[in-house]
Amino acid sequence: MAGAVTTQVSLDVTTIAEALSLAHGARRAGIDWLEAGTPLILGEGLHAVAALRREFPGVPIVADLKTMDGAGLEAEMMLGAGATHVVVMSRAHWASVAEMVRVAHAMGGFVMADVLGAEDKAADARAMQDLGADWIILHTGFDERRHLRGVSPLDDLDRVVAAVERPVQAVGGLSIEQALETARRGARSVVIGAPLAIQADRFASGDEFEAVLRDVVTRVRALPAASA
C-alpha cells in the first residue's frame, strides 16, 4: 500500500483530563492520529472519545475497544461518539468481525483487527483481511510480555507484512528505536504509548514528552514512502 507512514499516540491513561493534556502535546509535536487507549475507554467510555473529537476536529481517532462480541453495537456507539477507527480482536468469532466491518463501513469508519493471542498471526491477519478489516494490528500484550520474557511484535512482523495487502501497525513493549524499525520493515504506522517510558522507573511528561514525540515525527517523515 503506497503512502507515507502515519504516527499515532496511544492515550493509555484513565481520565479525560490526562488524555487531553497528552493529546495536545502530541498534536503540537505533529502526531497524526490519536488513540483512546483501552484504559481510557474503561475509565471514561464514550465520553473520552467525544471529548477528543470536540477538542481535535478532523483528527483520526482510534477507539481501542478490543471487541470480542456485540461488535456492531460497539462500533456504532464509538463511531457515533466521534471515533474514526474501531478495534476488533481476530480471536473473536468471524461473525463479530464481519458485523463490525459492516457497521463501521456503513458509517464511514474503519476497522482495525488485532491479532493478539493468535497462534499463527500471519494466518489470522489474512483472515481479517478477507473479512474486510482495513488495518492489521500486530500486538504482543502486556501480560504476555510480563510472563514470557523477550517476546516482541518484531518476531512476527515480516511474516504479517508479507501476508496481507492491508496496512500493518506493530505494538507492544517497543522502544522508540524499535517502533521506528517497524516502519523500516513495512509497518504503515508508528505507534507510541503515552505516558511514554523513558527509563524503567520514570515516564516522560510535559516538555520532555513533547520533545520526544517531535523527534519521532521528524524521523518518521524522513522515511521513504512505501511503494508496495
Side-chain angles (χ1 to χ4, degrees), residues 25-187:
R27 287 293 292 166
R28 285 193 298 267
I31 291 290
D32 300 308
W33 293 17
L34 301 173
E35 176 188 326
T38 306
L40 181 58
I41 289 176
L42 288 171
E44 299 277 13
L46 291 170
H47 303 294
V49 174
L52 288 168
R53 174 52 64 221
R54 286 193 300 271
E55 202 79 5
F56 303 100
V59 175
I61 294 173
V62 177
D64 189 9
L65 297 163
K66 293 186 173 66
T67 295
M68 287 292 291
D69 192 25
L73 177 60
E74 291 193 8
E76 182 179 2
M77 292 171 69
M78 287 296 171
L79 293 167
T84 53
H85 296 67
V86 286
V87 178
V88 67
M89 304 305 293
S90 72
R91 297 287 76 191
H93 194 280
W94 66 264
S96 292
V97 180
E99 188 65 9
M100 179 170 276
V101 168
R102 182 186 70 80
V103 172
H105 288 179
M107 296 180 68
F110 303 91
V111 173
M112 307 179 84
D114 188 332
V115 299
L116 174 70
E119 293 181 7
D120 185 334
K121 292 181 171 58
D124 265 36
R126 286 193 299 271
M128 295 301 98
Q129 175 177 277
D130 291 345
L131 285 167
D134 304 287
W135 279 78
I136 305 300
I137 304 174
L138 174 56
H139 185 185
T140 302
F142 177 78
D143 294 328
E144 181 182 359
R145 299 194 311 271
R146 289 182 65 201
H147 287 270
L148 300 173
R149 297 293 181 182
V151 295
S152 167
L154 295 174
D155 299 339
D156 297 287
L157 180 58
D158 295 339
R159 289 183 63 245
V160 169
V161 168
V164 295
E165 288 75 50
R166 296 290 189 268
V168 175
Q169 61 176 216
V171 298
L174 298 177
S175 67
I176 295 292
E177 292 304 321
Q178 288 172 327
L180 291 165
E181 176 66 16
T182 70
R184 288 188 283 267
R185 288 170 55 179

